[in-house]
Amino acid sequence: MVLDPELRAIGGNGSGRAREEELAVLEAVGQRVLWLSTAIIDHANRVRPNPSGLKVGGHQASSASMSSIMTALWFHALNPEDRVSVKPHASPVLHAINYLLGELDESYLTTLRAFGGLQSYPSRAKDPDPVDYSTGSVGIGATAPLWGALARRYVEGHFGGAGRGRQYSLLGDAELDEGAIWEAIQDPMVPSLGEAVWVVDLNRQSLDRVVPGIAADRLEGMFAAAGWQVITLKYGHALRELFARPGGEALHARIDAMDNPEYQRLLRCSADELRERLPGTGSTAGPIADLIAPLDDASLLAALRNLGGHDIGALTDAFDSVDDTRPTVIFAYTVKGYGLPTEGHPQNHSSLLTADQMRTLADRLGTDPDRPWAAFAGGSPEAERCAAAARRLRRPGHPSRQAPAVPENLDRPAPTGSGNTQQALGRVLLDLTRRAPEAAARIVTVSPDVSSTTNLGGWLNKVGVWSPTERPNWFADDAETILHWRERPTGQHVELGIAETNLVGLLGELGATWSRWGQPLLPIGVVYDPFVNRALEPWSFGIYAGGQSILVGTPSGVTLAPEGGAHQSITTPSLGIEQPGCVTFEPAFAIDTEWCLLAALGNLGRPDGSSAYLRLSTRPVDQSAADVPGDPAARERRRRQVTAGAYRLRRHERPVVTLAAMGAVVPEALAAADRLAALGHGADVVCVTSPDLLFRALQARRGLSRDPSWILDQVFPADRATPLVTVVDGHPHTLAFLGTVQSTPVTTLGVSRFGQSGSIEDVYRYHGIDTDGIVTAALDLVD
């Protein structure tokens, strides 16, 4: 294999008797890992009762291709502060290793994919054994350790106690098809993360087929161009020894030149078929045939399968050679299904071994199929190796620090004049540095190159931009520069490149530091709301993995009228409602934004905490329309209602209709109420701040959750139940459920078509969410 000068091909022969003994023990441990992972899946599918007959699954072939890699990593290379993201389909291998390390009780080995048992894919929150990173969504788990490395550095630099461990990603080669991978490695922050190590299981198969051209050389070049150290493990020691013999160069060239399907087909051949097919044709066929002729059948078959990703010596040498000054990727060539009867078969992705095949495998691996979970004999070298690894990997405990108290309000007078909710975001952050400095010190903001346009400029000027090292600010003496870009290790803002998936990936890891190192952070990510959809999958996965953060989408909706349809968000209000582990807010006024943001911050960095999504706007709104009570008790009641989901903004003596509006369109609802009153139809106006919390309250009233429901009685009391018009700068179904609170007729107004460029008035009219549209809908209900 010809490599770039920047690439390194690692050997693995080792030297000395001690080395040989170590490798022999590791090989034995690896065989037990292979057996256990295969048996865990076998029991879930073939042994455990399955009354429904629904397929269970578990990926025996995908686990087998990772067994050697993970054995070398856990039982040779890992240190206690290191963390590993495991390829989703290799979760049985992780559980097998944890069992051998004494971190998983035997009773769980029979529970793969059972309710309350071992999860389908590694889960920090749901698995009973140690899992560093939740995986399962292809590409997302692979990139998480990059953001975990950055989060660790941030915590260590600001508060200490996070250590210096490596962050490993174990991923399949098919995951490199995911765009999230390349967005991550190209981010300007990543080349400095020397603790990041990726191991690519290069088995050259996808779910459906053998991939014709995996283009490994191209992949190696792309990582090298991004500043990564590239280590390639293509062949094991047996093949390399053959290459060194007469005719070996011809064999080397022959295997290098053949495409993936041909190589995989050779794996399915008997020894006689292999002797016929492997030499190929042409002038090199004779030397290759002569080379392999003296080999017995078993040696020939084993040599063909002797790839670097299954060679324990090569793997341990590779891990030992990692350069900690830059990220590293190890391309480990493997055979999917290695060591199983299904190895190399194009459709082995979901295949399962039969009972007879399991017994044959047990005989070959020296295990008892009737006692599948038997441990190594006490005092054996393998048992000692497992015990030593368990002692080595035992992590020191991190005392949990309680998240700082966040004030419920900042005791500022209610804003007057014109303003918008996006401006309020920046103002609240600055106010916190003065009113609650301990809480402000835990805030870290993240932006994909939109800091200045989302009103974070004042915050950045105050706290600075985070960088591993201090960098000169060459514009510090430029009088026309308003945003001061001071990069230093004490900064509290992280600026990423333009990639929303990276933003939420980092948010998830910053939001998990409370559970990793006992150091809670209060992360806030700011992104243009139309592009929240790009970030949905990694955002959701970060929350699933226990990351608690605040995502701010701003500006939002068709209110961003001149920008046109491509920059107008429609579905984001309902997405916030539907996301588990997250509370969504869409305030209309600056004071509401303050209260909602403070409530969201107060829920971060704690075992019972949650994430939040704030949908903000740049529309100037008359702040006096909020009509904030001056009396302290009444003001506090309003704050409680705002943070519970809604409040009654306008109360008519004899209402015949209720207008429930959210966010930027509240002014239209107020204007519509005035016009309806002039027509003799009294209208109450409800300002919805969180459709999410209102829906939860409705579910609680029906006995379907334990959330509080008092807000419904205060905002939608039975004695004031009237027909309802809902209006939102988003899809109308967002508030459609409000009609069920008191079983009233309801008309839902919103945006269900792509937007248009124009003024707010023109665009609102186009979608029927202007004042005329609200009045017409109300009249249709009451006349």
Side-chain angles (χ1 to χ4, degrees):
M1 183 176 185
V2 179
L3 299 174
D4 255 347
E6 289 297 313
L7 308 181
R8 300 183 60 190
I10 302 300
N13 295 322
S15 59
R17 185 172 182 81
R19 173 66 169 167
E20 291 177 3
E21 291 176 352
E22 178 195 26
L23 294 182
V25 172
L26 289 175
E27 288 282 1
V29 172
Q31 288 186 344
R32 185 60 58 89
V33 169
L34 173 63
W35 165 256
L36 287 170
S37 60
T38 307
I40 288 170
I41 300 167
D42 178 68
H43 189 280
N45 287 271
R46 195 179 53 80
V47 181
R48 191 171 68 215
N50 183 10
S52 71
L54 191 66
K55 174 189 172 184
V56 178
H59 304 99
Q60 288 176 329
S62 295
S63 294
S65 69
M66 288 294 298
S67 293
S68 300
I69 293 171
M70 293 177 66
T71 297
L73 183 58
W74 261 266
F75 294 95
H76 172 81
L78 280 186
N79 289 311
E81 292 183 329
D82 298 341
R83 296 181 186 270
V84 187
S85 172
V86 175
K87 186 179 83 167
H89 291 165
S91 65
V93 183
L94 175 63
H95 299 310
I97 288 174
N98 280 335
Y99 171 63
L100 292 176
L101 294 175
E103 297 285 357
L104 181 66
D105 189 78
E106 180 181 320
S107 62
Y108 280 104
L109 299 180
T110 61
T111 66
L112 179 69
R113 301 193 175 198
F115 188 81
L118 300 176
Q119 298 301 296
S120 304
Y121 310 117
S123 171
R124 289 190 71 220
K126 297 183 178 182
D127 270 316
D129 51 337
V131 174
D132 292 330
Y133 288 96
S134 297
T135 60
S137 186
V138 175
I140 303 304
T143 59
L146 296 178
W147 316 123
L150 202 155
R152 184 205 63 77
R153 287 195 182 198
Y154 186 94
V155 168
E156 180 65 22
H158 283 76
F159 309 107
R164 299 181 56 83
R166 286 179 180 170
Q167 304 283 328
Y168 288 89
S169 291
L170 309 181
L171 61 154
D173 49 11
E175 290 192 73
L176 296 179
D177 291 343
E178 290 288 341
I181 296 286
W182 303 105
E183 288 185 350
I185 71 167
Q186 301 250 13
D187 192 273
M189 284 287 183
V190 170
S192 65
L193 301 176
E195 61 267 50
V197 181
W198 286 15
V199 184
V200 179
D201 171 13
L202 202 68
N203 60 50
R204 295 170 282 184
Q205 281 187 240
S206 62
L207 189 151
D208 290 329
R209 60 174 182 162
V210 178
V211 180
I214 201 68
D217 291 346
R218 178 174 59 84
L219 295 173
E220 292 165 355
M222 292 168 71
F223 275 93
W228 290 51
Q229 177 192 20
V230 179
I231 299 173
T232 300
L233 303 178
K234 189 167 186 179
Y235 300 118
H237 71 279
L239 268 177
R240 289 198 306 275
E241 287 178 0
L242 277 179
F243 295 158
R245 299 178 186 178
E249 290 186 8
L251 177 63
H252 194 170
R254 162 84 170 120
I255 297 178
D256 267 351
M258 70 175 59
D259 61 20
N260 297 331
E262 181 182 4
Y263 174 78
Q264 298 285 104
R265 180 62 186 89
L266 293 179
L267 294 173
R268 309 294 301 170
C269 291
S270 66
D272 289 342
E273 290 174 316
L274 190 57
R275 293 182 193 280
E276 180 181 346
R277 291 190 179 205
L278 182 57
T281 59
S283 61
T284 60
I288 295 175
D290 293 341
L291 171 66
I292 64 176
L295 300 178
D296 61 65
D297 289 351
S299 298
L300 176 60
L301 293 172
L304 183 68
R305 291 155 170 76
N306 183 227
L307 300 181
H310 302 303
D311 189 307
I312 293 291
L315 287 163
T316 54
D317 284 352
F319 289 131
D320 291 344
S321 69
V322 167
D323 175 7
D324 287 323
T325 66
R326 54 179 174 156
T328 296
V329 60
I330 299 172
F331 286 100
Y333 281 73
T334 63
V335 174
K336 191 166 185 174
Y338 181 75
L340 305 181
T342 57
E343 65 180 1
H345 193 281
Q347 282 82 51
N348 67 6
H349 183 83
S350 300
S351 64
L352 297 167
L353 270 60
T354 66
D356 288 341
Q357 288 174 327
M358 285 295 297
R359 288 196 171 274
T360 300
L361 180 67
D363 289 342
R364 184 170 66 81
L365 297 180
T367 60
D368 183 352
D370 297 322
R371 297 177 59 247
W373 321 124
F376 286 117
S380 66
E382 294 81 8
E384 291 297 326
R385 188 77 183 195
C386 292
R391 291 190 297 270
R392 185 183 77 249
L393 296 178
R394 192 164 294 119
R395 288 175 179 161
H398 293 285
S400 295
R401 181 186 179 94
Q402 188 173 357
V406 177
E408 293 179 333
N409 64 77
L410 298 175
D411 297 320
R412 289 174 57 107
T416 58
S418 180
N420 63 58
T421 54
Q422 180 178 289
Q423 291 171 338
L425 167 68
R427 192 204 71 205
V428 171
L429 293 178
L430 280 176
D431 282 351
L432 279 169
T433 62
R434 296 185 288 267
R435 306 289 182 92
E438 184 179 352
R442 295 274 168 171
I443 292 175
V444 52
T445 55
V446 186
S447 164
D449 198 38
V450 293
S451 303
S452 57
T453 53
T454 53
N455 283 84
L456 290 183
W459 165 256
L460 263 67
N461 287 343
K462 177 74 173 179
V463 301
V465 178
W466 181 82
S467 174
T469 58
E470 187 157 356
R471 298 174 180 172
N473 177 15
W474 297 106
F475 290 86
D477 58 349
D478 186 339
E480 296 182 4
T481 298
I482 300 175
L483 182 63
H484 300 292
W485 206 261
R486 294 191 293 269
E487 297 180 87
R488 54 196 178 191
T490 58
Q492 290 179 241
H493 173 80
V494 182
E495 188 80 359
L496 299 175
I498 307 174
E500 287 76 15
T501 56
N502 292 349
L503 169 92
V504 294
L506 178 56
L507 272 186
E509 290 307 316
L510 290 169
T513 59
W514 66 274
S515 60
R516 292 197 190 282
W517 301 291
Q519 290 287 0
L521 296 176
L522 309 180
I524 302 174
V526 181
V527 62
Y528 289 164
D529 196 66
F531 308 136
V532 164
N533 289 281
R534 291 186 186 177
L536 283 180
E537 186 184 8
W539 177 47
S540 177
F541 217 80
I543 295 173
Y544 170 77
Q548 299 171 10
S549 62
I550 298 173
L551 181 64
V552 177
T554 181
S556 63
V558 299
T559 300
L560 194 60
E563 291 283 351
H567 277 58
Q568 296 170 0
S569 50
I570 296 171
T571 61
T572 48
S574 56
L575 294 174
I577 297 174
E578 295 156 13
Q579 175 59 50
C582 177
V583 178
T584 183
F585 294 101
E586 185 166 348
F589 300 102
I591 189 65
D592 296 350
T593 305
E594 174 187 311
W595 289 335
C596 292
L597 180 59
L598 293 175
L601 287 168
N603 274 329
L604 300 180
R606 38 193 272 190
D608 61 342
S610 69
S611 294
Y613 165 51
L614 271 69
R615 192 172 186 256
L616 304 183
S617 174
T618 52
R619 183 186 183 184
V621 172
D622 179 8
Q623 297 300 307
S624 65
D627 197 22
V628 181
D631 179 78
R635 179 184 169 109
E636 173 58 17
R637 181 174 184 268
R638 167 70 68 84
R639 186 200 65 78
R640 290 181 64 246
Q641 291 178 335
V642 165
T643 57
Y647 59 95
R648 195 169 290 271
L649 181 56
R650 183 78 60 85
R651 181 185 177 93
H652 196 275
E653 291 182 1
R654 292 181 298 278
V656 297
V657 67
T658 299
L659 311 179
M662 184 169 74
V665 294
V666 167
E668 276 64 36
L670 291 171
D674 291 338
R675 285 176 50 183
L676 288 168
L679 294 171
H681 301 293
D684 282 351
V685 178
V686 171
C687 181
V688 175
T689 55
S690 175
D692 188 359
L693 293 177
L694 293 183
F695 184 76
R696 296 185 195 192
L698 188 60
Q699 293 290 84
R701 175 183 282 182
R702 294 168 176 161
L704 300 176
S705 78
R706 297 182 179 179
D707 294 285
S709 62
W710 60 265
I711 188 64
L712 299 179
D713 296 325
Q714 291 193 5
V715 180
F716 299 101
D719 61 351
R720 298 184 70 82
T722 64
L724 184 66
V725 177
T726 67
V727 57
V728 59
D729 183 8
H731 199 281
H733 80 73
T734 305
L735 300 180
F737 69 91
L738 291 179
T740 66
V741 174
Q742 296 296 349
S743 299
T744 56
V746 60
T747 296
T748 58
L749 304 179
V751 182
S752 55
R753 293 175 288 173
F754 286 114
Q756 300 286 334
S757 294
S759 66
I760 288 180
E761 294 77 14
D762 290 338
V763 173
Y764 278 13
R765 187 181 308 113
Y766 173 75
H767 291 288
I769 58 174
D770 61 338
T771 302
D772 285 351
I774 300 172
V775 170
T776 300
L779 292 176
D780 287 342
L781 286 172
V782 302
D783 279 353

